[in-house]
Each structure stands twice: as C-alpha cells, then as structure tokens.
Amino acid sequence: MELGDCMVLKVMLASMAAFAARAVPVVVAMPQSKSFVAGASDEMEMKPSPIEPSWILSGDPVARIAEHSRGQDDAAMTALWDCTAGEFRWYFGWDETVMILEGEVHITTEDGVERTLSAGDVAYFAGGTWATWRIDRYLRKVAFCRKPFPKPLTIAYRLRDLVRQGSGSQGLAA
C-alpha cells in the first residue's frame, strides 16, 4: 500500500467516524452508586413480560423478567428471565447471550439448527434473528443483551482495524 493510499484511507475513516459519532446519542455518566450492581438472583422482583400472542405456537407460556443492570449508555442490559411451558417464536432485537440457570429449552434457529440448552449452557443469539423456543416445564435464564452498533460505526471500526493491521505489517504509522 502506498503512503498516499494510506492517507486517503485515514481521511475516509475519520470522515466515517465523525458521521457515526453524530448518530450516537450523548452519553451521560451515571451516578457513582450505579457503577457496581450486585444482588442475589432469588431476591430480584420478577415482573410480567408477556410473549407477543402471535408468536405463541402452542401452550400458554407465561414469562417474567427482572432487570438486573443497564449500561451507562443504555446499549447493554443484564436481566433474569423465566417462563413456563409452551412453544413460541422469539425475535431477538438485540444481540443476546444467555446462560441457563434452571430447566431446559429446545431451540430451533431460522437456518434449522436444533439444540437443547440446559442448566449451565451458554448460547448467543444475534440481533435481528428469530428462533423457536420449546419449553417443556420451566426455564430460568440470565440474559446479557447488547444493542448492535449502527452500521456506519461498525464499518468505521472495521476500517480502523484494517488500517492498523495493514500499517503494522508494513511499518507505517497508524
């Protein structure tokens, strides 16, 4: 890569980062008391979290949720979630990593992958995807949710990494 090409890439990256920064909301620091959140899961108040009726395929699943914590920028959240028996489709609006605490669930993804998750299992679901959940008795999980970055910001990060990799291997300053 020529030095001039590298400069053009850096200018493009800077422009995209500036554009993306305007699209990201201003982050306000949370009070110091919210910088660490801990508590026993069995003491958290579970509130009703009804499943969209049109998503239910069979049974009468009843879901509840207790929000544990939320990131300072509101782009991440941790919650406990439980549900009684039933089968339903679920839309993941956020990226979600789950850890099953109790019970088991039979998952079928959009592309046909089938998997049973039980206590101790960890799974990841990409935001913007669907999966079918079949719970035979009861399920309790902890969910780690993160809003996906806006596409322009994702592209800017990837370009930055590409520039760093390219310049590092050729000895040019990043």
Side-chain angles (χ1 to χ4, degrees):
M1 181 177 280
E2 299 272 334
L3 183 57
D5 293 339
C6 187
M7 291 302 291
V8 168
L9 205 53
K10 285 184 179 183
V11 169
M12 286 176 43
L13 178 61
S15 297
M16 289 178 16
F19 173 79
R22 286 191 297 268
V24 176
V26 175
V27 177
V28 177
M30 293 178 69
Q32 191 65 17
S33 64
K34 296 291 184 179
S35 64
F36 176 74
V37 179
S41 62
D42 58 347
E43 294 177 4
M44 295 174 64
E45 182 184 351
M46 301 296 287
K47 297 178 181 177
S49 180
I51 297 168
E52 165 60 41
S54 65
W55 297 357
I56 298 173
L57 302 173
S58 66
D60 186 24
V62 176
R64 302 180 305 163
I65 194 167
E67 184 176 311
H68 172 267
S69 54
R70 189 172 284 271
Q72 293 180 358
D73 59 0
D74 278 338
M77 178 185 77
T78 303
L80 288 177
W81 184 87
D82 71 359
C83 188
T84 60
E87 184 173 8
F88 50 89
R89 289 183 32 82
W90 189 264
Y91 179 74
F92 293 89
W94 295 25
D95 291 342
E96 183 172 331
T97 300
V98 301
M99 178 175 219
I100 307 303
L101 300 174
E102 182 181 342
E104 70 177 24
V105 57
H106 306 279
I107 304 285
T108 305
T109 63
E110 289 177 296
D111 54 0
V113 173
E114 294 182 25
R115 176 77 192 260
T116 298
L117 303 174
S118 55
D121 287 340
V122 176
Y124 167 79
F125 300 89
T129 63
W130 287 88
T132 299
W133 287 54
R134 190 185 89 228
I135 301 168
D136 294 332
R137 288 184 286 286
Y138 173 78
L139 181 77
R140 183 174 174 90
K141 71 175 183 176
V142 59
F144 306 94
C145 303
R146 182 185 66 83
K147 289 180 187 174
F149 283 117
K151 290 293 181 193
L153 191 55
T154 301
I155 292 168
Y157 276 123
R158 288 183 179 159
L159 280 174
R160 179 204 63 190
D161 292 344
L162 182 64
V163 168
R164 285 182 177 172
Q165 290 173 357
S167 66
S169 63
Q170 299 193 7
L172 298 175

